[in-house]
Structures are given as C-alpha cells and as structure tokens.
C-alpha cells in the first residue's frame, strides 16, 4: 500500500519537475513528515542543502496547482476506500470552513497584516488563511485554502473578503468533489453571512452556522426572541432557515440551518462537527503550518500546499488500520520518510553522492535503511552506466 502510494506520487509529480526540483521537493516532504520542532529550511535538508531548498522554494516555477490536485486525489481515494466500497448508504460529508491566523514577526514577509485572532481576542500581526476540511465518518482531511490579504496591502481589483473566499471554496467544492453524497457546510459566526449561505444553497448543500443574536427576520422579529425550531427568512436573504438555540459555556448562542425538516437536536449535532475544523487547524500547525519564514511572493500558498500534502500522506498510511489500532503520527512519519527515500528515486542522475552526504547527517531516522539503500542506489547507478 505504501509503496503504491509513493509510486503514484512519483508518476503524478515527478514528470512535471526537473531532477533538481524533484530532489528538493522530496527533501521538504520528508522533513515535514519526520522532523521535530520548528520546520525551518535547515530542518528539512534531508536530501538537499538549505540554499538548494531556498532556491527551489522561492523560485518562479512552482507546481502549486499540481500539488493541490495530487493532494485532492489522495483524499478522494482515501474516502472511497473507507466508505464507498461498502454496501449501504453513502456517508454525509461535512465541509468545514474556518479562518486561522499564523503569527509572523518579519516585516518583509509577504501578505502579513493585522488580523483578529480568536485565540488572543484581539488584533494580531500575521498571515491569515481560510481553510476548508472534510469530516467523513472517522476521517478528518484537508481540502482547500485561500490566503487572505488586508485591503491596504492588496490591489483594489484583487481584494476579496474572507467571506467571499469561503463562498468560492463552496462553489469550487461542487465541481471538484465527484462522489455522490449529501454535503453539509458548517461555519462559525464570522462566515455565516449572506454570500456564504447563498453559495451553499446554489450548490444544493445544507448549511449550519452560528449567527449574531441581533439578526432579524423579515418581519422584524429578533432571532434571539423566538423558540428553537422557528422557520423563517432572515432579513436580506431569500432562503428559508430554521433557528435553534443552544448553550455554550453558560451563554446562549443562536444557530441556523437551511434544512428546515430536521429537529433542533439534529441541528445542534451537525453544528458540533464544526469544531473539527479547529482540530484540523491544530494538526496542520503541528506539522509546521506556522513555520514558513520565506520571502517569496507566493510562499504562504506554497508552504500551505506542502503541509496539506504531507498531512494527507500521513493520514493515508495511518488509516489503513481500524480506529483502535491507529499508530502514532510519528511512527507513520518515519515509515513514509523511509519509503520516500527508498522508492522515490531521488538518487537519479548525479544526485547520488550529494544526496547520500546529506542523508548520513540524518542517520537517526534512516539507520535501519542506510546500508540497503546505499547498495541499491549504487547498483542502480552502475546499471544505468
């Protein structure tokens, strides 16, 4: 299974990269999967030096769309393997959309601005991402993202609000997710606005979200004054919604759902799934989502795409077993790192001696493999000559 996945990665990405780029790409993916602590370029130098990774990462030619496309294929294959090969009704897919702020200090870093961070309850300097993830049964997987840029730092024609970006991702999910299933969009209060609700309705998706207590119906009633289960239209939105109240940490919140046929209890249960978006953000940050300090114009997009790909590779291997036998992320990372070195064909052409030099500096990871790998690599080079 693991070797097959590595071969697919090779066949889909290697054909679009030069040998130099493929060498650097593998080094970065291995580093994200296995290195502990901050994921600086130096920490990712398993098969290439830090200057080589910097030239590759900040260069003009970068297959961002290709990496995103391959990552989505892996996500779809994982979902189909777990749920679509079994008899019975297809599971519900929850499309979770949430924003997160990556703290940054460097003044020259791209797309840095002041953003409201819910963790600090105030403005924070950093980069902001709007991330969509999928919750399907036991699986939690990343799907898409957008980088939000402050209006004063963006061109007027290019500026988009985070709610516009969320609406784009909902419409894009309709065309990029080919599986036949029911989709429920779950968002928090900051994204539960008119354009997002309309985007979900146009795509024939259900939506659950949290709204402010002062929102009003078309008949001027406040949503906080009506009973749970009340159906109506919010002011300015020509879509029927159901209003449901719930208590969180002693405070009453107001939820809405575009499905008016389910019970308030079902609405609350569906809204609980939205908290998995926070879990997804935390998992990506543990892989180094906040660690990129490169000055390239598109470095946030490139780094986020790499981290999402690495997480999907880890999840694909980890979820081979049942839920009560899942290995740790660290164990899975070591397995993937070894397989990428062994089967990723990184030693092609003149990279053998240079790559082995870098590999020997990381012997704690590859000790069981190093002797076998060296033998196979030299044999491969001799046969090529």
């Amino acid at each position: 299974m693991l070797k097959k996945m590595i071969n697919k990665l090779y066949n889909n990405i290697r054909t679009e990269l030069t040998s130099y780029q493929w060498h650097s790409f593998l080094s970065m993916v291995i580093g994200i999967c296995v290195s502990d602590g901050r994921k600086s370029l130096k920490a990712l130098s398993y098969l290439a030096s830090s200057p080589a990774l910097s030239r590759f990462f900040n260069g003009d030619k970068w297959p961002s769309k290709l990496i995103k496309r391959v990552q989505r294929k892996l996500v779809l294959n994982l979902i189909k393997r777990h749920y679509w090969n079994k008899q019975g009704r297809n599971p519900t897919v929850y499309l979770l959309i949430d924003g997160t702020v990556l703290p940054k200090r460097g003044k020259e870093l791209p797309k840095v601005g002041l953003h409201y961070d819910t963790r600090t309850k105030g403005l924070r300097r950093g980069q902001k991402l709007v991330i969509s993830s999928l919750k399907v049964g036991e699986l939690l997987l990343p799907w898409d993202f957008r980088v939000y840029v402050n209006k004063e730092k963006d061109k007027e024609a290019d500026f988009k609000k985070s709610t516009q970006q969320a609406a784009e991702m909902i419409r894009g999910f309709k065309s990029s997710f080919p599986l036949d299933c029911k989709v429920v969009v779950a968002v928090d209060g900051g994204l539960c606005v008119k354009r997002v609700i309309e985007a979900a309705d146009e795509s024939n998706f259900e939506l659950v979200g949290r709204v402010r207590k002062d929102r009003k119906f078309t008949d001027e009633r406040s949503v906080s004054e009506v009973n749970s289960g009340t159906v109506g239209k919010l002011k300015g939105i020509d879509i029927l919604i159901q209003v449901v109240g719930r208590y969180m940490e002693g405070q009453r919140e107001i939820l809405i759902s575009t499905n008016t046929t389910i019970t308030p209890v079902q609405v609350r249960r569906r809204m609980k799934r939205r908290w998995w978006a926070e879990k997804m953000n935390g998992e990506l940050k543990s892989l180094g989502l906040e660690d990129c300090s490169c000055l390239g114009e598109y470095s946030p997009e490139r780094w986020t795409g790499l981290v999402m790909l690495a997480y999907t590779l880890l999840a694909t291997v980890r979820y081979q077993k049942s839920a009560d036998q899942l290995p740790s992320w660290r164990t899975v990372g070591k397995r993937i790192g070894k397989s990428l070195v062994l089967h990723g064909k990184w030693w092609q052409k003149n990279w053998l001696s240079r790559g082995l030099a870098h590999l020997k500096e990381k012997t704690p990871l590859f000790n069981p493999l190093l002797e076998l790998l060296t033998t196979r690599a030299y044999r491969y080079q001799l046969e090529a000559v």
Side-chain angles (χ1 to χ4, degrees), residues 204-343:
N204 295 321
F205 299 159
E206 295 180 21
L207 180 138
V208 291
R210 182 167 58 86
V211 296
R212 292 170 49 180
K213 296 180 182 179
D214 59 356
R215 291 294 295 270
K216 294 185 180 297
F217 288 104
T218 52
D219 58 4
E220 297 300 327
R221 289 182 299 167
S222 173
V223 293
S224 60
E225 299 173 349
V226 300
N227 296 326
S228 291
T230 301
V231 175
K233 292 183 179 180
L234 293 177
K235 205 169 183 179
I237 306 177
D238 191 24
I239 298 172
L240 277 176
I241 58 97
Q242 177 182 186
V243 173
V244 175
R246 74 168 179 182
Y247 284 90
M248 292 292 291
E249 298 179 351
Q251 295 183 349
R252 189 168 187 259
E253 295 181 343
I254 306 298
L255 311 179
I256 66 167
S257 171
T258 55
N259 188 341
T260 59
T261 62
I262 59 178
T263 65
V265 173
Q266 289 174 306
V267 174
R268 296 187 190 104
R269 286 176 180 171
R270 294 186 178 187
M271 189 59 188
K272 282 183 179 180
R273 305 295 201 288
R274 198 215 69 83
W275 289 106
W276 285 95
E278 307 291 345
K279 173 71 172 176
M280 183 78 265
N281 292 343
E283 295 285 3
L284 294 176
K285 289 174 182 177
S286 68
L287 281 181
L289 186 63
E290 298 178 325
D291 295 346
C292 180
S293 299
C294 295
L295 302 178
E297 182 181 359
Y298 299 104
S299 58
E301 290 90 342
R302 293 171 175 179
W303 183 252
T304 305
L306 277 175
V307 172
M308 284 190 171
L309 176 63
Y311 179 89
T312 307
L313 291 173
L314 290 166
T316 301
V317 177
R318 188 170 189 256
Y319 288 116
Q320 290 181 28
K321 298 185 177 181
S322 59
D324 57 341
Q325 298 177 329
L326 291 179
S328 67
W329 290 108
R330 182 176 178 80
T331 301
V332 174
K334 287 184 177 181
R335 286 184 58 195
I336 291 177
K338 293 176 183 179
S339 295
L340 284 172
V341 173
L342 183 59
H343 304 296

Side-chain angles (χ1 to χ4, degrees), residues 55-67:
R55 288 193 297 270
F56 166 67
F57 189 75
N58 293 302
D60 294 333
K61 295 182 179 179
W62 179 268
S64 301
K65 294 182 180 179
L66 174 64
I67 290 175

Side-chain angles (χ1 to χ4, degrees), residues 102-106 109 112 125-127 289-293:
L102 313 178
K104 300 291 180 182
R105 294 183 179 180
L109 293 176
V112 170
R125 178 180 171 81
Q127 297 165 341
L289 186 63
E290 298 178 325
D291 295 346
C292 180
S293 299

Side-chain angles (χ1 to χ4, degrees), residues 347 349 352 374-385:
W347 55 76
K349 297 186 179 180
L352 177 61
T374 305
T375 304
R376 289 190 178 186
Y378 275 117
R379 186 185 304 164
Y380 176 87
Q381 190 182 50
L382 290 173
E383 289 176 356
V385 173

